[in-house]
Amino acid sequence: MGPMNLTVGFDLDMTLIDSRPGIRAAYRALSAETGTYIDADAAVTRLGPPLEEELARWFPEAEIPAMADRYRAIYPDHAIEPTAAMPGAREAVAAVQALGGRAIVVTAKHEPNARLHLAHLGIEPDAVIGWLWAEAKAGALREHGAQVYVGDHVGDVRGARSAGALSVAVPTGPCPEPELREAGADVVLPDLTALPEWLAQYVAAQSGSAQPVAAEA
């Protein structure tokens, strides 16, 4: 594999962005609007799975589709401004592109809101694909030819493995390192600041100019 056909996928929430303050604010706004109690502080400890799974904790099943639509509608007004980039996020995406590769974002988040986050933070991937969680991410990863998928959740590990991609995990979200390794992550890095160096080694190894990168990197 040469660098020119390198494609690396990234998860969004708690991988590229720390969306906890914004999501907390959006849940509090939805709670105030509906009069339904939502423990926003607890909700942001469970980021990763689709929105509907969290709403099911607070609303009757019949109300979930409408509540999800409303949450997504009010989200831009409450969640974009407070959300910050994770350490190393911009540099990680840029490192892929500097090697002649493509960086794509594959996320369970509502795609228009994902794009708003990235634009606001000046993170510029080559493609953004939303509404995909866990194994469902595999289709987009295969379609774009991703060799590597970077995420913070065991669902991201499952998505990478389902796509036949190398699973690179960062324990910056709700899943600690042992849980990510147990789920089958090929590589666990402390955070995205370590990705550029690891990626350079990975590309060199794949091109035959270095020894393969150890799975325990």
Side-chain angles (χ1 to χ4, degrees):
M1 179 194 70
M4 290 306 294
N5 59 15
L6 173 70
T7 299
V8 177
F10 292 89
D11 175 52
L12 184 64
D13 290 301
M14 303 312 300
T15 300
L16 288 175
I17 66 173
D18 184 352
S19 50
R20 291 173 297 184
I23 289 175
R24 184 184 292 112
Y27 276 128
R28 286 175 175 167
L30 183 66
S31 178
E33 183 178 298
T34 62
T36 297
Y37 174 71
I38 299 172
D39 188 339
D41 290 327
V44 298
T45 69
R46 297 187 285 260
L47 299 184
L51 168 65
E52 287 79 3
E53 290 190 21
E54 184 62 39
L55 293 176
R57 296 174 179 266
W58 313 108
F59 294 94
E61 184 177 358
E63 296 180 18
I64 292 172
M67 291 301 101
D69 286 346
R70 185 58 188 151
Y71 173 93
R72 290 173 177 132
I74 66 176
Y75 187 96
D77 290 336
H78 297 277
I80 304 302
E81 187 65 33
T83 293
M86 295 293 282
R90 295 181 186 88
E91 294 83 357
V93 170
V96 177
Q97 295 163 336
L99 288 167
R102 298 179 72 249
I104 66 173
V105 172
V106 184
T107 174
K109 190 179 287 297
H110 183 54
E111 189 174 305
N113 289 339
R115 291 180 180 276
L116 287 174
H117 276 302
L118 293 163
H120 179 256
L121 294 171
I123 300 172
E124 301 180 350
D126 298 282
V128 180
I129 306 97
W131 304 298
L132 297 174
W133 162 241
E135 288 84 355
K137 294 184 174 187
L141 293 171
R142 285 194 298 264
E143 180 182 349
H144 287 268
Q147 297 95 353
V148 176
Y149 185 60
V150 185
D152 68 284
H153 199 282
V154 294
D156 300 321
V157 177
R158 300 203 310 266
R161 295 182 68 86
S162 295
L166 193 76
S167 171
V168 175
V170 285
T172 51
C175 301
E177 179 176 343
E179 188 175 352
L180 294 165
R181 290 195 183 279
E182 186 178 353
D186 297 295
V187 176
V188 180
L189 301 175
D191 57 35
L192 287 184
T193 63
L195 188 78
E197 181 179 357
W198 175 85
L199 187 65
Q201 294 177 34
Y202 170 76
V203 169
Q206 295 301 308
S207 65
S209 59
Q211 294 299 310
V213 179
E216 297 297 313

mmCIF file of all heavy atoms in Angstrom, residues 89-138:
data_model
loop_
_atom_site.group_PDB
_atom_site.id
_atom_site.type_symbol
_atom_site.label_atom_id
_atom_site.label_comp_id
_atom_site.label_asym_id
_atom_site.label_seq_id
_atom_site.Cartn_x
_atom_site.Cartn_y
_atom_site.Cartn_z
ATOM 1 N N ALA A 89 -6.625 16.531 17.461
ATOM 2 C CA ALA A 89 -7.605 16.169 16.421
ATOM 3 C C ALA A 89 -7.254 16.774 15.065
ATOM 4 O O ALA A 89 -7.210 16.070 14.051
ATOM 5 C CB ALA A 89 -9.005 16.607 16.851
ATOM 6 N N ARG A 90 -7.029 18.069 15.045
ATOM 7 C CA ARG A 90 -6.701 18.711 13.760
ATOM 8 C C ARG A 90 -5.423 18.118 13.174
ATOM 9 O O ARG A 90 -5.331 17.856 11.967
ATOM 10 C CB ARG A 90 -6.546 20.221 13.940
ATOM 11 C CG ARG A 90 -7.821 20.944 14.360
ATOM 12 C CD ARG A 90 -7.568 22.452 14.480
ATOM 13 N NE ARG A 90 -8.728 23.154 15.013
ATOM 14 C CZ ARG A 90 -8.950 23.331 16.314
ATOM 15 N NH1 ARG A 90 -8.076 22.857 17.203
ATOM 16 N NH2 ARG A 90 -10.021 23.977 16.733
ATOM 17 N N GLU A 91 -4.455 17.907 14.040
ATOM 18 C CA GLU A 91 -3.161 17.387 13.576
ATOM 19 C C GLU A 91 -3.282 15.957 13.063
ATOM 20 O O GLU A 91 -2.592 15.563 12.110
ATOM 21 C CB GLU A 91 -2.151 17.448 14.721
ATOM 22 C CG GLU A 91 -1.790 18.851 15.167
ATOM 23 C CD GLU A 91 -2.780 19.477 16.153
ATOM 24 O OE1 GLU A 91 -3.817 18.844 16.464
ATOM 25 O OE2 GLU A 91 -2.526 20.608 16.605
ATOM 26 N N ALA A 92 -4.171 15.166 13.669
ATOM 27 C CA ALA A 92 -4.349 13.786 13.235
ATOM 28 C C ALA A 92 -4.938 13.727 11.829
ATOM 29 O O ALA A 92 -4.468 12.961 10.975
ATOM 30 C CB ALA A 92 -5.249 13.038 14.219
ATOM 31 N N VAL A 93 -5.958 14.541 11.590
ATOM 32 C CA VAL A 93 -6.555 14.588 10.256
ATOM 33 C C VAL A 93 -5.544 15.115 9.246
ATOM 34 O O VAL A 93 -5.389 14.566 8.146
ATOM 35 C CB VAL A 93 -7.834 15.458 10.276
ATOM 36 C CG1 VAL A 93 -8.335 15.729 8.860
ATOM 37 C CG2 VAL A 93 -8.920 14.772 11.100
ATOM 38 N N ALA A 94 -4.834 16.159 9.624
ATOM 39 C CA ALA A 94 -3.838 16.737 8.717
ATOM 40 C C ALA A 94 -2.707 15.761 8.423
ATOM 41 O O ALA A 94 -2.153 15.755 7.317
ATOM 42 C CB ALA A 94 -3.282 18.028 9.314
ATOM 43 N N ALA A 95 -2.359 14.919 9.397
ATOM 44 C CA ALA A 95 -1.269 13.959 9.196
ATOM 45 C C ALA A 95 -1.618 12.951 8.111
ATOM 46 O O ALA A 95 -0.767 12.564 7.308
ATOM 47 C CB ALA A 95 -0.960 13.236 10.505
ATOM 48 N N VAL A 96 -2.885 12.517 8.087
ATOM 49 C CA VAL A 96 -3.331 11.605 7.030
ATOM 50 C C VAL A 96 -3.181 12.278 5.676
ATOM 51 O O VAL A 96 -2.629 11.711 4.712
ATOM 52 C CB VAL A 96 -4.792 11.182 7.254
ATOM 53 C CG1 VAL A 96 -5.277 10.292 6.108
ATOM 54 C CG2 VAL A 96 -4.960 10.473 8.590
ATOM 55 N N GLN A 97 -3.655 13.510 5.593
ATOM 56 C CA GLN A 97 -3.628 14.229 4.321
ATOM 57 C C GLN A 97 -2.212 14.579 3.887
ATOM 58 O O GLN A 97 -1.901 14.581 2.699
ATOM 59 C CB GLN A 97 -4.515 15.474 4.440
ATOM 60 C CG GLN A 97 -5.984 15.100 4.652
ATOM 61 C CD GLN A 97 -6.830 16.239 5.185
ATOM 62 O OE1 GLN A 97 -6.320 17.167 5.817
ATOM 63 N NE2 GLN A 97 -8.131 16.173 4.954
ATOM 64 N N ALA A 98 -1.334 14.838 4.853
ATOM 65 C CA ALA A 98 0.060 15.152 4.526
ATOM 66 C C ALA A 98 0.785 13.959 3.916
ATOM 67 O O ALA A 98 1.756 14.125 3.168
ATOM 68 C CB ALA A 98 0.803 15.622 5.784
ATOM 69 N N LEU A 99 0.293 12.753 4.206
ATOM 70 C CA LEU A 99 0.860 11.540 3.624
ATOM 71 C C LEU A 99 0.226 11.207 2.273
ATOM 72 O O LEU A 99 0.488 10.150 1.709
ATOM 73 C CB LEU A 99 0.666 10.365 4.587
ATOM 74 C CG LEU A 99 1.550 10.395 5.844
ATOM 75 C CD1 LEU A 99 1.059 9.390 6.865
ATOM 76 C CD2 LEU A 99 3.005 10.120 5.477
ATOM 77 N N GLY A 100 -0.603 12.123 1.772
ATOM 78 C CA GLY A 100 -1.279 11.888 0.500
ATOM 79 C C GLY A 100 -2.535 11.067 0.640
ATOM 80 O O GLY A 100 -3.096 10.608 -0.361
ATOM 81 N N GLY A 101 -2.983 10.854 1.870
ATOM 82 C CA GLY A 101 -4.161 10.024 2.101
ATOM 83 C C GLY A 101 -5.430 10.832 2.266
ATOM 84 O O GLY A 101 -5.429 12.072 2.222
ATOM 85 N N ARG A 102 -6.529 10.107 2.464
ATOM 86 C CA ARG A 102 -7.838 10.722 2.684
ATOM 87 C C ARG A 102 -8.271 10.448 4.117
ATOM 88 O O ARG A 102 -8.149 9.315 4.600
ATOM 89 C CB ARG A 102 -8.888 10.160 1.712
ATOM 90 C CG ARG A 102 -8.558 10.433 0.259
ATOM 91 C CD ARG A 102 -9.607 9.832 -0.666
ATOM 92 N NE ARG A 102 -10.855 10.586 -0.598
ATOM 93 C CZ ARG A 102 -12.001 10.142 -0.073
ATOM 94 N NH1 ARG A 102 -12.044 8.921 0.449
ATOM 95 N NH2 ARG A 102 -13.083 10.881 -0.078
ATOM 96 N N ALA A 103 -8.772 11.468 4.785
ATOM 97 C CA ALA A 103 -9.322 11.339 6.133
ATOM 98 C C ALA A 103 -10.832 11.481 6.047
ATOM 99 O O ALA A 103 -11.330 12.474 5.515
ATOM 100 C CB ALA A 103 -8.738 12.409 7.050
ATOM 101 N N ILE A 104 -11.556 10.482 6.538
ATOM 102 C CA ILE A 104 -13.013 10.528 6.501
ATOM 103 C C ILE A 104 -13.549 10.419 7.929
ATOM 104 O O ILE A 104 -12.914 9.823 8.791
ATOM 105 C CB ILE A 104 -13.611 9.425 5.608
ATOM 106 C CG1 ILE A 104 -13.339 8.035 6.180
ATOM 107 C CG2 ILE A 104 -13.059 9.538 4.180
ATOM 108 C CD1 ILE A 104 -14.059 6.912 5.436
ATOM 109 N N VAL A 105 -14.694 11.023 8.164
ATOM 110 C CA VAL A 105 -15.375 10.916 9.450
ATOM 111 C C VAL A 105 -16.612 10.049 9.258
ATOM 112 O O VAL A 105 -17.430 10.311 8.375
ATOM 113 C CB VAL A 105 -15.762 12.302 9.993
ATOM 114 C CG1 VAL A 105 -16.647 12.175 11.235
ATOM 115 C CG2 VAL A 105 -14.513 13.113 10.309
ATOM 116 N N VAL A 106 -16.712 9.004 10.064
ATOM 117 C CA VAL A 106 -17.868 8.101 10.037
ATOM 118 C C VAL A 106 -18.426 8.083 11.451
ATOM 119 O O VAL A 106 -17.758 7.616 12.377
ATOM 120 C CB VAL A 106 -17.485 6.688 9.571
ATOM 121 C CG1 VAL A 106 -18.730 5.804 9.473
ATOM 122 C CG2 VAL A 106 -16.764 6.741 8.220
ATOM 123 N N THR A 107 -19.648 8.574 11.621
ATOM 124 C CA THR A 107 -20.194 8.831 12.946
ATOM 125 C C THR A 107 -21.665 8.449 13.036
ATOM 126 O O THR A 107 -22.361 8.431 12.019
ATOM 127 C CB THR A 107 -20.030 10.330 13.302
ATOM 128 O OG1 THR A 107 -20.699 10.611 14.540
ATOM 129 C CG2 THR A 107 -20.621 11.228 12.229
ATOM 130 N N ALA A 108 -22.108 8.172 14.256
ATOM 131 C CA ALA A 108 -23.536 7.921 14.485
ATOM 132 C C ALA A 108 -24.321 9.224 14.546
ATOM 133 O O ALA A 108 -25.558 9.196 14.514
ATOM 134 C CB ALA A 108 -23.732 7.148 15.789
ATOM 135 N N LYS A 109 -23.634 10.347 14.624
ATOM 136 C CA LYS A 109 -24.319 11.636 14.768
ATOM 137 C C LYS A 109 -25.081 12.009 13.502
ATOM 138 O O LYS A 109 -24.698 11.637 12.394
ATOM 139 C CB LYS A 109 -23.301 12.727 15.117
ATOM 140 C CG LYS A 109 -23.937 14.059 15.526
ATOM 141 C CD LYS A 109 -22.892 15.092 15.889
ATOM 142 C CE LYS A 109 -22.222 14.820 17.210
ATOM 143 N NZ LYS A 109 -23.164 14.878 18.348
ATOM 144 N N HIS A 110 -26.158 12.775 13.696
ATOM 145 C CA HIS A 110 -26.911 13.406 12.601
ATOM 146 C C HIS A 110 -25.913 14.141 11.706
ATOM 147 O O HIS A 110 -25.184 15.033 12.164
ATOM 148 C CB HIS A 110 -27.916 14.364 13.228
ATOM 149 C CG HIS A 110 -28.820 15.064 12.291
ATOM 150 N ND1 HIS A 110 -29.600 14.407 11.376
ATOM 151 C CD2 HIS A 110 -29.098 16.397 12.154
ATOM 152 C CE1 HIS A 110 -30.325 15.292 10.708
ATOM 153 N NE2 HIS A 110 -30.033 16.508 11.160
ATOM 154 N N GLU A 111 -25.834 13.756 10.446
ATOM 155 C CA GLU A 111 -24.745 14.235 9.592
ATOM 156 C C GLU A 111 -24.667 15.754 9.473
ATOM 157 O O GLU A 111 -23.562 16.324 9.556
ATOM 158 C CB GLU A 111 -24.846 13.596 8.209
ATOM 159 C CG GLU A 111 -23.655 13.860 7.329
ATOM 160 C CD GLU A 111 -23.723 13.097 6.019
ATOM 161 O OE1 GLU A 111 -23.874 11.859 6.040
ATOM 162 O OE2 GLU A 111 -23.647 13.760 4.980
ATOM 163 N N PRO A 112 -25.783 16.480 9.292
ATOM 164 C CA PRO A 112 -25.655 17.949 9.225
ATOM 165 C C PRO A 112 -25.036 18.548 10.483
ATOM 166 O O PRO A 112 -24.235 19.496 10.394
ATOM 167 C CB PRO A 112 -27.109 18.416 9.038
ATOM 168 C CG PRO A 112 -27.794 17.260 8.376
ATOM 169 C CD PRO A 112 -27.169 16.042 9.003
ATOM 170 N N ASN A 113 -25.369 18.015 11.652
ATOM 171 C CA ASN A 113 -24.776 18.536 12.878
ATOM 172 C C ASN A 113 -23.303 18.164 12.995
ATOM 173 O O ASN A 113 -22.487 18.947 13.507
ATOM 174 C CB ASN A 113 -25.554 18.040 14.097
ATOM 175 C CG ASN A 113 -26.920 18.699 14.215
ATOM 176 O OD1 ASN A 113 -27.154 19.766 13.658
ATOM 177 N ND2 ASN A 113 -27.833 18.062 14.929
ATOM 178 N N ALA A 114 -22.935 16.981 12.507
ATOM 179 C CA ALA A 114 -21.524 16.604 12.481
ATOM 180 C C ALA A 114 -20.725 17.589 11.626
ATOM 181 O O ALA A 114 -19.632 18.033 12.010
ATOM 182 C CB ALA A 114 -21.367 15.183 11.936
ATOM 183 N N ARG A 115 -21.284 17.952 10.488
ATOM 184 C CA ARG A 115 -20.594 18.886 9.599
ATOM 185 C C ARG A 115 -20.461 20.268 10.243
ATOM 186 O O ARG A 115 -19.437 20.953 10.067
ATOM 187 C CB ARG A 115 -21.336 18.982 8.265
ATOM 188 C CG ARG A 115 -21.250 17.707 7.438
ATOM 189 C CD ARG A 115 -22.014 17.843 6.119
ATOM 190 N NE ARG A 115 -21.940 16.632 5.324
ATOM 191 C CZ ARG A 115 -20.947 16.322 4.517
ATOM 192 N NH1 ARG A 115 -19.915 17.157 4.392
ATOM 193 N NH2 ARG A 115 -20.961 15.189 3.829
ATOM 194 N N LEU A 116 -21.482 20.690 10.989
ATOM 195 C CA LEU A 116 -21.408 21.981 11.685
ATOM 196 C C LEU A 116 -20.272 21.992 12.699
ATOM 197 O O LEU A 116 -19.536 22.979 12.809
ATOM 198 C CB LEU A 116 -22.739 22.270 12.385
ATOM 199 C CG LEU A 116 -23.924 22.655 11.501
ATOM 200 C CD1 LEU A 116 -25.197 22.765 12.343
ATOM 201 C CD2 LEU A 116 -23.663 23.969 10.757
ATOM 202 N N HIS A 117 -20.136 20.894 13.461
ATOM 203 C CA HIS A 117 -19.045 20.801 14.431
ATOM 204 C C HIS A 117 -17.691 20.940 13.750
ATOM 205 O O HIS A 117 -16.825 21.704 14.190
ATOM 206 C CB HIS A 117 -19.088 19.452 15.152
ATOM 207 C CG HIS A 117 -20.006 19.399 16.317
ATOM 208 N ND1 HIS A 117 -19.903 20.243 17.400
ATOM 209 C CD2 HIS A 117 -21.048 18.572 16.598
ATOM 210 C CE1 HIS A 117 -20.833 19.954 18.293
ATOM 211 N NE2 HIS A 117 -21.539 18.945 17.818
ATOM 212 N N LEU A 118 -17.482 20.189 12.690
ATOM 213 C CA LEU A 118 -16.180 20.171 12.027
ATOM 214 C C LEU A 118 -15.852 21.535 11.418
ATOM 215 O O LEU A 118 -14.721 22.020 11.544
ATOM 216 C CB LEU A 118 -16.164 19.077 10.957
ATOM 217 C CG LEU A 118 -16.245 17.649 11.525
ATOM 218 C CD1 LEU A 118 -16.634 16.666 10.422
ATOM 219 C CD2 LEU A 118 -14.926 17.250 12.171
ATOM 220 N N ALA A 119 -16.849 22.164 10.802
ATOM 221 C CA ALA A 119 -16.624 23.483 10.208
ATOM 222 C C ALA A 119 -16.308 24.513 11.292
ATOM 223 O O ALA A 119 -15.401 25.352 11.125
ATOM 224 C CB ALA A 119 -17.854 23.912 9.406
ATOM 225 N N HIS A 120 -17.030 24.452 12.399
ATOM 226 C CA HIS A 120 -16.820 25.412 13.492
ATOM 227 C C HIS A 120 -15.420 25.292 14.075
ATOM 228 O O HIS A 120 -14.810 26.298 14.475
ATOM 229 C CB HIS A 120 -17.866 25.186 14.583
ATOM 230 C CG HIS A 120 -17.738 26.104 15.754
ATOM 231 N ND1 HIS A 120 -17.200 25.711 16.969
ATOM 232 C CD2 HIS A 120 -18.040 27.423 15.898
ATOM 233 C CE1 HIS A 120 -17.198 26.743 17.794
ATOM 234 N NE2 HIS A 120 -17.702 27.781 17.181
ATOM 235 N N LEU A 121 -14.892 24.064 14.110
ATOM 236 C CA LEU A 121 -13.586 23.823 14.732
ATOM 237 C C LEU A 121 -12.429 23.840 13.738
ATOM 238 O O LEU A 121 -11.275 23.664 14.126
ATOM 239 C CB LEU A 121 -13.615 22.490 15.478
ATOM 240 C CG LEU A 121 -14.565 22.457 16.680
ATOM 241 C CD1 LEU A 121 -14.701 21.047 17.222
ATOM 242 C CD2 LEU A 121 -14.092 23.420 17.768
ATOM 243 N N GLY A 122 -12.735 24.023 12.462
ATOM 244 C CA GLY A 122 -11.676 24.068 11.469
ATOM 245 C C GLY A 122 -11.007 22.739 11.217
ATOM 246 O O GLY A 122 -9.830 22.683 10.849
ATOM 247 N N ILE A 123 -11.757 21.648 11.423
ATOM 248 C CA ILE A 123 -11.270 20.302 11.097
ATOM 249 C C ILE A 123 -11.813 19.963 9.721
ATOM 250 O O ILE A 123 -13.026 20.039 9.495
ATOM 251 C CB ILE A 123 -11.727 19.276 12.145
ATOM 252 C CG1 ILE A 123 -11.187 19.662 13.526
ATOM 253 C CG2 ILE A 123 -11.268 17.873 11.766
ATOM 254 C CD1 ILE A 123 -11.732 18.822 14.659
ATOM 255 N N GLU A 124 -10.942 19.587 8.791
ATOM 256 C CA GLU A 124 -11.329 19.481 7.388
ATOM 257 C C GLU A 124 -11.080 18.089 6.822
ATOM 258 O O GLU A 124 -10.104 17.858 6.104
ATOM 259 C CB GLU A 124 -10.598 20.540 6.570
ATOM 260 C CG GLU A 124 -10.893 21.970 7.036
ATOM 261 C CD GLU A 124 -10.172 23.024 6.227
ATOM 262 O OE1 GLU A 124 -9.284 22.655 5.416
ATOM 263 O OE2 GLU A 124 -10.488 24.218 6.389
ATOM 264 N N PRO A 125 -11.957 17.136 7.124
ATOM 265 C CA PRO A 125 -11.817 15.810 6.517
ATOM 266 C C PRO A 125 -12.226 15.838 5.046
ATOM 267 O O PRO A 125 -12.803 16.825 4.566
ATOM 268 C CB PRO A 125 -12.788 14.952 7.338
ATOM 269 C CG PRO A 125 -13.856 15.919 7.738
ATOM 270 C CD PRO A 125 -13.146 17.234 7.976
ATOM 271 N N ASP A 126 -11.941 14.754 4.358
ATOM 272 C CA ASP A 126 -12.277 14.660 2.932
ATOM 273 C C ASP A 126 -13.707 14.201 2.694
ATOM 274 O O ASP A 126 -14.241 14.404 1.601
ATOM 275 C CB ASP A 126 -11.290 13.704 2.249
ATOM 276 C CG ASP A 126 -9.862 14.222 2.330
ATOM 277 O OD1 ASP A 126 -9.529 15.127 1.557
ATOM 278 O OD2 ASP A 126 -9.096 13.749 3.186
ATOM 279 N N ALA A 127 -14.323 13.584 3.696
ATOM 280 C CA ALA A 127 -15.717 13.154 3.580
ATOM 281 C C ALA A 127 -16.279 12.996 4.980
ATOM 282 O O ALA A 127 -15.545 12.717 5.931
ATOM 283 C CB ALA A 127 -15.830 11.834 2.808
ATOM 284 N N VAL A 128 -17.594 13.192 5.106
ATOM 285 C CA VAL A 128 -18.300 13.014 6.379
ATOM 286 C C VAL A 128 -19.515 12.146 6.113
ATOM 287 O O VAL A 128 -20.330 12.465 5.241
ATOM 288 C CB VAL A 128 -18.738 14.356 6.988
ATOM 289 C CG1 VAL A 128 -19.469 14.127 8.319
ATOM 290 C CG2 VAL A 128 -17.543 15.287 7.177
ATOM 291 N N ILE A 129 -19.631 11.047 6.853
ATOM 292 C CA ILE A 129 -20.764 10.129 6.707
ATOM 293 C C ILE A 129 -21.393 9.962 8.078
ATOM 294 O O ILE A 129 -20.723 9.564 9.031
ATOM 295 C CB ILE A 129 -20.321 8.758 6.157
ATOM 296 C CG1 ILE A 129 -19.522 8.928 4.847
ATOM 297 C CG2 ILE A 129 -21.539 7.869 5.926
ATOM 298 C CD1 ILE A 129 -18.030 8.913 5.018
ATOM 299 N N GLY A 130 -22.663 10.292 8.194
ATOM 300 C CA GLY A 130 -23.342 10.231 9.474
ATOM 301 C C GLY A 130 -24.365 9.120 9.563
ATOM 302 O O GLY A 130 -24.561 8.337 8.634
ATOM 303 N N TRP A 131 -25.007 9.037 10.744
ATOM 304 C CA TRP A 131 -26.104 8.109 11.008
ATOM 305 C C TRP A 131 -25.677 6.640 11.011
ATOM 306 O O TRP A 131 -26.501 5.758 10.770
ATOM 307 C CB TRP A 131 -27.256 8.311 10.024
ATOM 308 C CG TRP A 131 -27.803 9.701 9.991
ATOM 309 C CD1 TRP A 131 -28.400 10.372 11.010
ATOM 310 C CD2 TRP A 131 -27.822 10.589 8.865
ATOM 311 N NE1 TRP A 131 -28.783 11.626 10.599
ATOM 312 C CE2 TRP A 131 -28.439 11.793 9.286
ATOM 313 C CE3 TRP A 131 -27.366 10.494 7.551
ATOM 314 C CZ2 TRP A 131 -28.613 12.882 8.442
ATOM 315 C CZ3 TRP A 131 -27.540 11.573 6.717
ATOM 316 C CH2 TRP A 131 -28.159 12.746 7.155
ATOM 317 N N LEU A 132 -24.420 6.354 11.305
ATOM 318 C CA LEU A 132 -23.952 4.965 11.308
ATOM 319 C C LEU A 132 -23.325 4.638 12.652
ATOM 320 O O LEU A 132 -22.489 5.382 13.161
ATOM 321 C CB LEU A 132 -22.927 4.732 10.189
ATOM 322 C CG LEU A 132 -23.427 4.930 8.760
ATOM 323 C CD1 LEU A 132 -22.280 4.801 7.774
ATOM 324 C CD2 LEU A 132 -24.530 3.936 8.422
ATOM 325 N N TRP A 133 -23.703 3.480 13.208
ATOM 326 C CA TRP A 133 -23.214 3.085 14.531
ATOM 327 C C TRP A 133 -22.689 1.661 14.488
ATOM 328 O O TRP A 133 -23.293 0.774 13.873
ATOM 329 C CB TRP A 133 -24.347 3.210 15.553
ATOM 330 C CG TRP A 133 -24.156 2.462 16.841
ATOM 331 C CD1 TRP A 133 -24.950 1.462 17.334
ATOM 332 C CD2 TRP A 133 -23.117 2.639 17.811
ATOM 333 N NE1 TRP A 133 -24.465 1.011 18.533
ATOM 334 C CE2 TRP A 133 -23.340 1.718 18.856
ATOM 335 C CE3 TRP A 133 -22.010 3.492 17.884
ATOM 336 C CZ2 TRP A 133 -22.509 1.628 19.968
ATOM 337 C CZ3 TRP A 133 -21.177 3.399 18.982
ATOM 338 C CH2 TRP A 133 -21.428 2.478 20.012
ATOM 339 N N ALA A 134 -21.571 1.445 15.151
ATOM 340 C CA ALA A 134 -20.982 0.118 15.352
ATOM 341 C C ALA A 134 -20.805 -0.602 14.003
ATOM 342 O O ALA A 134 -20.208 -0.046 13.085
ATOM 343 C CB ALA A 134 -21.817 -0.694 16.345
ATOM 344 N N GLU A 135 -21.332 -1.826 13.896
ATOM 345 C CA GLU A 135 -21.129 -2.624 12.675
ATOM 346 C C GLU A 135 -21.641 -1.921 11.424
ATOM 347 O O GLU A 135 -21.140 -2.162 10.318
ATOM 348 C CB GLU A 135 -21.794 -3.994 12.818
ATOM 349 C CG GLU A 135 -21.084 -4.945 13.767
ATOM 350 C CD GLU A 135 -21.446 -4.763 15.225
ATOM 351 O OE1 GLU A 135 -22.200 -3.799 15.550
ATOM 352 O OE2 GLU A 135 -20.993 -5.575 16.050
ATOM 353 N N ALA A 136 -22.650 -1.054 11.575
ATOM 354 C CA ALA A 136 -23.181 -0.344 10.410
ATOM 355 C C ALA A 136 -22.164 0.605 9.789
ATOM 356 O O ALA A 136 -22.303 0.998 8.625
ATOM 357 C CB ALA A 136 -24.445 0.427 10.804
ATOM 358 N N LYS A 137 -21.114 0.970 10.546
ATOM 359 C CA LYS A 137 -20.069 1.827 9.994
ATOM 360 C C LYS A 137 -19.251 1.104 8.925
ATOM 361 O O LYS A 137 -18.597 1.739 8.095
ATOM 362 C CB LYS A 137 -19.139 2.320 11.104
ATOM 363 C CG LYS A 137 -19.823 3.242 12.109
ATOM 364 C CD LYS A 137 -18.852 3.797 13.128
ATOM 365 C CE LYS A 137 -19.553 4.824 14.028
ATOM 366 N NZ LYS A 137 -18.637 5.521 14.926
ATOM 367 N N ALA A 138 -19.294 -0.216 8.954
ATOM 368 C CA ALA A 138 -18.430 -1.008 8.062
ATOM 369 C C ALA A 138 -18.718 -0.720 6.595
ATOM 370 O O ALA A 138 -17.794 -0.690 5.774
ATOM 371 C CB ALA A 138 -18.586 -2.495 8.358
#
